[in-house]
Amino acid sequence: MTETTPELACPIAPVVDIVFSRWTTPILWALNEFGRQRFVELQRRITTITPKVLTQRLRQLERDGLVVRTYHAEVPPRVEYEISELGRSLGPLFASLAEWSGNLGQVEAARRSYDERSSAR
């Protein structure tokens, strides 16, 4: 039997790795919802992210082509971030997930039921 890589076994795995890493969705959502923003504005909107992690994620999103970074050579220098067309193309995916989030009540009920059964064992 030949071994199959996770990417071949599940072709959406690389997409999930890119789009659903810890801070990607809040960053992309904020940029899509509120438009072009400076670093500090993003940090204020996503209050639980550290500056170091926000910097790392923005760099990775820029590298992946999902975010565009614009440097303005002014005094003082200004940097702005915006979602790219490629990033915007994730809109239907996020809309589907938002629609599916209506099922979270059922997920919570299933968890409670499972936990009750597990604690009774």
Side-chain angles (χ1 to χ4, degrees), residues 32-66:
N32 189 59
E33 191 73 15
F34 301 104
R36 182 180 301 153
Q37 296 174 65
R38 296 175 73 172
F39 183 90
V40 173
E41 294 170 300
L42 277 170
Q43 193 175 11
R44 284 186 195 131
R45 291 191 197 286
I46 309 168
T47 58
T48 53
I49 194 169
T50 65
K52 177 183 175 185
V53 173
L54 180 56
T55 298
Q56 291 170 340
R57 293 307 310 143
L58 285 168
R59 284 182 184 153
Q60 186 62 51
L61 290 169
E62 183 183 8
R63 182 175 182 254
D64 291 341
L66 300 176

Side-chain angles (χ1 to χ4, degrees), residues 2 8 11 15 19 24 28 34 39 70 83 86 89-90 98 116 118:
T2 54
L8 292 176
V15 176
V19 176
T24 297
L28 291 177
F34 301 104
F39 183 90
T70 304
I83 192 167
L86 182 60
S89 73
L90 293 167
E116 288 169 6
S118 294

